């Protein structure tokens, strides 16, 4: 790309006229775009080879390469790949160890209610899981992968981290349940040992921790050797658990009354009063006793008093495995069919099992027994070993599944660079596809969880963390559905925003019901992670997955833009909406920053015109450069939009930008250009002392980005073209500002220097002066802009000064207040904190009425000039402007920025070209060697004195 030269120069201002001539085509970019449409993008090829998946259109779904492989490499069907893992995960330690605890404390009615609530939440969450998982193939990482590719890297990373912790806690929970089963069978008075046998497993806090560590290490070894075997044998394991469970049902129906011993670790029950506990078998009295709550103390938690929240936390912790099937999508033959069918059928199957078990326990086992022996199912079973096997297989398989799941989530977080280099060791520590480092890390964290000891305490933490994950999943689906994303077309049809909303609300409420402290800490931790990842995560800053936040913002912005009616605008709520026309940002960085300050929360658009014809380009060069301009916005740290256009001439391009920039009622009302002069430009990106110095835009595939006019290069615009552009803007009823000397602006100096004290306003039309100038629309617009600048922290310490320049032409009418008083009243009514400075010498500087007549004729566009513009007359006017300039400079030693009245330019008439040259020459003389100066001409009323 070669840039044509700007029309004028003041180190930065000349390049604010937006012109670029694409004489050289960006061949490499064109080639990349062409390859993209041919399907040969180098980035896509790299992802296929390096990351093992191919992106396809839609909700940024990633399709595993295995989708293009033969079906033989995907071996798992619905039962083995989804139904069995989900069922095993939902049985966990709850089915054989804690259902009696639920019924004994909460009673049958409350227990059934809790199961209904829990499964209602699960069903609606499963609908969300099925919707996401059938909208495209998912990879490893479960909840993390789905949420990160839907809500974005920040939410995905935060929820993924908490889901990883949830799996760690779930693994600890299952191991703790497994140890309870071992102690019940092989500890003192173990159910599988001969009567009065002491047992070979000692009981106690640290003994329990040692047993848990041994089991945890055994699981570690299995995962390191062959974790894939778990998925293939899950159906067999589930068969064992089901057989053991049905033996329990049969025992309830066949076993009669018998005594059950008290566990040795239960120190709460008085053994003198209750030497043994009684199992009654089927009994209406027992059933009636167990219908209502009868909360007691938990003997495994140092006598903690049980309540509704604790019971529900324990219950929900056992049914949190609904993601197990979705996590197996890479091994399923038909994921879009297997995940919905397998997960929903597993949820229904486990629900029926739990309900039947709860009813049979309530009908056969007294409340005292249920509260004081959580493993009572073993001694009352027709074959006690079945319960022991069921406990050990269910808890061991759940622990194994959670350890595998947590390691895969950690591996996914590492591969996505969510935490940057902190997890690089996980990627490096992979052997034969097995994330060894992630597995060992998960094992260490499980050891820390096991130190908690109490299963019921762990259960509450586990429930809250999983609920947070489910809440995020429902939130993801709800967000997609609300935004109406076109590419969200899941094959699972039993889903709507209603199901997602109910699941979201249910999980949020029950989180706090279980434990308000744990829930609050989890939510706060999640928000902290979201903010931290947004600020520091490489994945959040560079991920190409898409973010639901963009879709939500689009949805809301479109809605509010339609509601924003320009016919209802009121002057009280006027905001400056700026369009800054830029040729090369290299030479106008301070001006870009200054306009960003002056917008005051309004619209800010940086516009650029590329000179050329569309037919001469293989692709639109404006599209080619757009990302470079967005990078510029990031580098400058300004809140602006970018508008680029291609036009045959700069004038036509500026007309296009002025008309079409913005949308609806949010369109620019003020157009800002650089001044037309002969000063050389400064490259702020290359200047060693510049705060904008960077190498980012030094080179590209086509050379230097944002080229600018060098010294002695010919300008691309003539004076009459520049003046015509200003006239066009005014005819389009837009306010216009011409900026000069902004290469001298240094905001750091303004903030620290004691010498710079003022922002000056000269609200008088130098070409046609009168005493009424301080009160017209253009002058009030200038005051408004200066007041806006004075509100900002960097400029707040500067004082506004308004210079009153009385001409003495008009005689003061009787009873008319002096001009200074009227201006003071106006400033007071407008709440503008400015001081007024009269310029007595102004009257003497006007010299003769002839000068003013010549100046008026220059801008009033008469067809016949009363005083022809001879060289003598032009020199006379220049001399007049030099005197005014000197007067302004005498008052500008401590001035940061000067606002001046811009006389309207001459319209097309006789000698138009000559008039344009003279007009610019006089403005150049007027603003020569001043501080950064803005020549302002406002057409719209922007101030209001009423409440």
């Amino acid at each position: 790309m070669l840039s044509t030269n700007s029309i004028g120069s003041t180190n930065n201002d000349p390049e604010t006229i937006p012109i670029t001539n694409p004489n050289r085509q960006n061949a490499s970019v064109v080639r990349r775009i062409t390859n993209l449409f041919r399907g040969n993008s180098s980035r896509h090829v790299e992802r296929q080879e390096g990351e093992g998946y191919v992106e396809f259109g839609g909700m940024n779904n990633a399709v595993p390469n295995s989708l293009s492989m033969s079906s033989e490499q995907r071996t798992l069907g619905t039962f083995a790949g989804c139904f069995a893992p989900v069922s095993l995960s939902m049985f966990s330690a709850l089915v054989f160890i804690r259902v009696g605890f639920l019924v004994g404390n909460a009673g049958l009615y409350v227990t059934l209610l809790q199961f209904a609530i829990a499964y209602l939440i699960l069903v609606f969450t499963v609908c969300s899981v099925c919707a996401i998982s059938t909208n495209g193939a998912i990879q490893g990482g479960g909840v993390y992968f789905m949420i990160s590719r839907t809500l974005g890297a920040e939410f995905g990373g935060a929820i993924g981290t908490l889901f990883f912790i949830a799996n760690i806690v779930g693994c600890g929970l299952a191991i703790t349940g497994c140890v309870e089963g071992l102690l019940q069978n092989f500890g003192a008075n173990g159910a599988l040992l001969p009567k009065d046998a002491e047992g070979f497993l000692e009981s106690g806090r640290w003994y329990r921790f040692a047993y848990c560590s041994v089991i945890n290490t055994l699981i570690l070894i299995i995962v390191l050797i062959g974790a894939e075997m778990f998925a293939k044998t899950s159906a067999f394991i589930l068969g064992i658990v089901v057989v053991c469970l049905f033996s329990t049902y049969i025992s309830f129906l066949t076993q009669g009354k018998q005594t059950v011993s008290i566990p040795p670790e239960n120190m709460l029950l008085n053994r003198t009063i209750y030497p043994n506990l009684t199992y009654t078998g089927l009994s209406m009295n027992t059933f009636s006793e167990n219908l209502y709550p009868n909360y007691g103390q938990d003997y495994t938690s140092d006598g903690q008093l049980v309540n509704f929240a604790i019971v529900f936390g324990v219950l929900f912790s056992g049914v949190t495995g609904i993601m197990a099937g979705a996590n197996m999508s890479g091994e399923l033959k038909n994921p879009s069919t297997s995940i919905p069918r397998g997960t929903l059928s597993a949820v229904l199957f486990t629900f029926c099992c739990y309900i039947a078990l709860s009813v049979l326990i309530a009908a056969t086992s007294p409340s005292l027994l249920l509260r004081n022996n959580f493993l009572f199912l073993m001694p009352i079973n027709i074959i006690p070993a079945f319960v022991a096997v069921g406990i050990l297989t269910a808890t061991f398989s759940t622990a194994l599944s959670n350890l595998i799941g947590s390691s895969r989530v950690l591996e996914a977080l590492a591969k996505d660079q969510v935490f940057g280099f902190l997890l690089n060791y996980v990627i490096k520590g992979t052997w034969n596809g097995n994330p060894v480092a992630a597995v060992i890390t998960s094992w260490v964290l499980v050891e820390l969880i096991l130190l908690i000891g109490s299963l019921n305490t762990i259960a509450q933490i586990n429930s809250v963390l999983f609920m947070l994950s489910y809440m995020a999943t429902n939130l993801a689906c709800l967000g997609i559905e609300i935004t109406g994303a076109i590419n969200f077309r899941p094959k699972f049809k039993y889903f709507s925003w209603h199901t997602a909303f109910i699941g979201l609300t249910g999980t949020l409420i029950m989180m706090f019901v279980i434990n308000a402290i744990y829930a609050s800490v989890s939510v706060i931790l999640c928000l902290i992670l979201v903010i931290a990842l947004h600020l520091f995560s490489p994945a959040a800053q560079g991920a190409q997955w898409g973010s639901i936040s963009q879709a939500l913002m689009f949805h809301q912005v479109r809605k509010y833009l339609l509601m924003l009616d320009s016919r209802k605008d009121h002057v009280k709520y006027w905001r400056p909406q700026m369009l800054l026309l830029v040729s090369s940002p290299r030479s106008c960085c301070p001006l870009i920053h200054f306009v960003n300050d002056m917008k005051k929360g309004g619209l800010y658009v940086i516009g650029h015109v590329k000179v050329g014809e569309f037919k001469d380009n293989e692709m639109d060069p404006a599209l080619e450069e757009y990302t470079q301009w967005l990078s510029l916005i990031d580098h400058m740290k300004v809140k602006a939009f970018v508008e680029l256009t291609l036009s045959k001439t700069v004038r036509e391009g500026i007309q296009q930008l002025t008309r079409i920039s913005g949308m609806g009622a949010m369109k620019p009302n003020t157009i800002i250009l650089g001044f037309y002069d002969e000063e050389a430009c400064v490259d702020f990106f290359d200047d060693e002392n510049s705060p904008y110095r960077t190498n980012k835009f030094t080179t590209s595939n086509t050379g230097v980005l944002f080229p600018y006019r060098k010294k002695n290069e010919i300008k691309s615009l003539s004076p009459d073209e520049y003046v015509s552009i200003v006239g066009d803007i005014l005819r389009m009823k837009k306010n216009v500002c011409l900026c000069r000397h902004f290469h001298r602006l240094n905001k750091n100096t303004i903030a620290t220097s004691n010498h710079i004290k003022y922002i000056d306003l000269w609200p008088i039309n130098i070409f046609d002066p009168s005493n009424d100038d301080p009160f017209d629309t253009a002058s009030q617009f200038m005051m408004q802009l200066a007041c806006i600048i004075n509100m900002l922290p960097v400029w707040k310490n500067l004082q506004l000064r308004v210079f009153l320049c009385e001409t003495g032409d008009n005689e003061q009418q009787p009873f008319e207040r002096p001009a200074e008083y009227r201006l003071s009243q106006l400033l007071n009514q407008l709440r503008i904190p400015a001081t007024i400075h009269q310029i007595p010498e102004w009257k003497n500087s006007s010299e003769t009425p002839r000068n003013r007549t010549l100046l008026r004729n220059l801008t009033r566009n008469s067809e016949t000039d009363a005083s022809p513009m001879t060289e003598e007359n032009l020199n006379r006017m220049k001399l007049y402007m030099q005197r005014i300039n000197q007067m302004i400079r005498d008052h500008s030693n401590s001035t940061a920025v000067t606002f001046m009245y811009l006389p309207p330019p001459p319209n097309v008439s006789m000698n138009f070209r000559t008039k344009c040259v003279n007009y610019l020459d006089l403005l150049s003389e007027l603003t020569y060697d001043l501080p950064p100066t803005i020549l302002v001409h406002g057409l719209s009323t922007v101030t209001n004195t009423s409440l």
Side-chain angles (χ1 to χ4, degrees), residues 170-172 174-175 215 219 394-404:
C171 184
I175 292 174
I215 295 175
I219 293 173
T395 54
F396 190 84
S397 63
T398 302
L400 185 59
S401 175
N402 281 325
L403 190 66
I404 294 172

Side-chain angles (χ1 to χ4, degrees), residues 320-527:
T320 54
I322 57 175
M323 299 291 185
N327 289 340
M328 300 295 294
S329 63
E331 304 296 328
L332 295 172
K333 291 180 181 178
N334 192 351
S336 60
T337 301
S338 296
I339 291 176
R341 289 182 178 178
T343 305
L344 288 173
S345 58
V347 168
L348 178 62
F349 171 69
T350 55
F351 177 73
C352 293
C353 291
Y354 279 127
I355 295 301
L357 187 60
S358 299
V359 172
L360 289 174
I361 286 176
T364 58
S365 308
S367 174
L368 184 66
L369 168 64
L370 299 177
R371 293 196 309 272
N372 289 280
N373 190 335
F374 298 156
L375 291 173
F376 75 98
L377 290 179
M378 190 172 299
I380 63 103
N381 199 281
I382 53 176
I383 305 176
F386 275 14
V387 175
V389 172
I391 292 173
L392 297 179
T393 54
T395 54
F396 190 84
S397 63
T398 302
L400 185 59
S401 175
N402 281 325
L403 190 66
I404 294 172
S406 62
S407 63
R408 271 39 179 189
V409 172
L410 186 61
E411 181 188 23
L413 290 168
K415 286 183 176 179
D416 287 339
Q417 291 290 298
V418 172
F419 294 98
F421 67 92
L422 295 178
L423 296 179
N424 284 347
Y425 76 94
V426 173
I427 302 175
K428 296 177 181 178
T430 301
W431 183 71
N432 285 343
N434 194 3
V436 175
V439 172
I440 295 175
T441 302
S442 301
W443 174 81
V444 172
L445 294 176
V446 171
E447 283 292 300
L448 297 178
I449 294 297
L450 293 174
L451 288 172
I452 297 175
S454 171
L455 186 146
N456 289 357
T457 303
I458 297 176
Q460 292 187 60
I461 301 173
N462 182 70
S463 297
V464 167
L465 290 174
F466 271 107
M467 276 195 165
L468 187 63
S469 303
Y470 298 160
M471 183 182 72
T473 305
N474 287 302
L475 177 63
C477 276
L478 180 64
I480 299 173
E481 189 71 10
I482 288 177
T483 59
I486 297 172
N487 286 320
F488 184 61
R489 298 188 292 270
K491 294 182 179 179
F492 182 77
K493 302 303 180 183
Y494 302 100
F495 162 80
S496 69
W497 71 267
H498 304 86
T499 61
F501 180 75
I502 294 173
L504 172 66
T505 306
T507 51
L508 181 62
I509 293 173
M510 297 316 298
M511 274 175 60
F512 286 89
V513 169
I514 292 172
N515 193 304
I517 296 177
Y518 292 165
S520 301
V521 171
S522 298
V523 171
I524 293 172
L525 180 60
C526 181
L527 293 177

Side-chain angles (χ1 to χ4, degrees), residues 65-66 159 176 185 190 251 262 296 335 338 359 386 420 424 442-443 547 567 593 605 720 782 817 930:
N65 281 341
S66 52
I159 298 298
T176 303
N185 288 284
S251 299
I262 302 172
S338 296
V359 172
F386 275 14
N424 284 347
S442 301
W443 174 81
S547 174
R567 296 169 296 181
H593 249 139
V605 180
D720 58 298
M782 178 198 310
R817 299 282 190 177
L930 291 180

Side-chain angles (χ1 to χ4, degrees), residues 387-684:
V387 175
V389 172
I391 292 173
L392 297 179
T393 54
T395 54
F396 190 84
S397 63
T398 302
L400 185 59
S401 175
N402 281 325
L403 190 66
I404 294 172
S406 62
S407 63
R408 271 39 179 189
V409 172
L410 186 61
E411 181 188 23
L413 290 168
K415 286 183 176 179
D416 287 339
Q417 291 290 298
V418 172
F419 294 98
F421 67 92
L422 295 178
L423 296 179
N424 284 347
Y425 76 94
V426 173
I427 302 175
K428 296 177 181 178
T430 301
W431 183 71
N432 285 343
N434 194 3
V436 175
V439 172
I440 295 175
T441 302
S442 301
W443 174 81
V444 172
L445 294 176
V446 171
E447 283 292 300
L448 297 178
I449 294 297
L450 293 174
L451 288 172
I452 297 175
S454 171
L455 186 146
N456 289 357
T457 303
I458 297 176
Q460 292 187 60
I461 301 173
N462 182 70
S463 297
V464 167
L465 290 174
F466 271 107
M467 276 195 165
L468 187 63
S469 303
Y470 298 160
M471 183 182 72
T473 305
N474 287 302
L475 177 63
C477 276
L478 180 64
I480 299 173
E481 189 71 10
I482 288 177
T483 59
I486 297 172
N487 286 320
F488 184 61
R489 298 188 292 270
K491 294 182 179 179
F492 182 77
K493 302 303 180 183
Y494 302 100
F495 162 80
S496 69
W497 71 267
H498 304 86
T499 61
F501 180 75
I502 294 173
L504 172 66
T505 306
T507 51
L508 181 62
I509 293 173
M510 297 316 298
M511 274 175 60
F512 286 89
V513 169
I514 292 172
N515 193 304
I517 296 177
Y518 292 165
S520 301
V521 171
S522 298
V523 171
I524 293 172
L525 180 60
C526 181
L527 293 177
I528 292 174
L529 284 170
V530 169
I531 296 171
L533 292 176
H534 176 75
L535 295 176
F536 305 113
S537 173
Q541 297 170 13
Q544 302 298 319
W545 314 326
S547 174
I548 191 66
S549 60
Q550 295 296 309
L552 287 171
M553 284 188 285
F554 179 88
H555 180 267
Q556 293 301 110
V557 167
R558 183 189 67 85
K559 181 174 72 174
Y560 287 119
L561 275 175
L562 291 172
M563 295 171 62
L564 191 62
D565 191 342
S566 59
R567 296 169 296 181
K568 298 179 182 178
D569 286 345
H570 194 280
V571 66
K572 287 193 297 185
Y573 305 109
W574 178 86
R575 288 181 183 273
Q577 306 200 99
M578 306 292 193
L579 170 60
L580 173 62
L581 299 172
V582 174
S583 174
S584 175
R586 286 182 174 273
S587 59
C588 62
C589 293
L591 180 58
I592 292 174
H593 249 139
F594 179 80
V595 177
N596 185 66
D597 289 344
M598 197 162 57
K599 73 179 187 302
K600 186 56 178 177
L603 179 69
Y604 181 19
V605 180
I606 297 178
H608 175 72
V609 177
K610 290 182 67 65
V611 177
E613 292 197 42
F614 192 82
K615 64 180 181 180
D616 297 333
N617 297 272
E618 294 185 21
M619 62 173 293
D620 188 352
L623 291 177
E624 175 186 323
E625 287 190 16
Y626 189 72
T627 55
Q628 299 169 5
W629 283 85
L630 293 180
S631 298
L632 169 74
I633 297 297
D634 295 337
H635 171 67
M636 296 293 295
K637 298 180 181 179
V638 294
K639 298 178 180 178
F641 299 95
V642 173
E643 287 287 354
L644 307 180
T645 189
L646 178 68
S647 180
K648 295 179 182 179
T649 66
V650 177
R651 183 177 179 184
E652 289 182 6
I654 291 178
Q655 290 175 4
Q656 295 171 15
L657 291 174
T658 304
R659 287 193 182 99
I660 68 174
S661 295
M663 182 177 291
M666 291 191 66
K667 299 185 76 68
N669 53 35
T670 304
I671 314 301
I672 303 174
L673 301 91
F675 196 73
Y676 189 94
D677 57 22
E678 299 294 339
E679 295 186 32
C681 301
V682 173
D683 186 350
F684 284 95

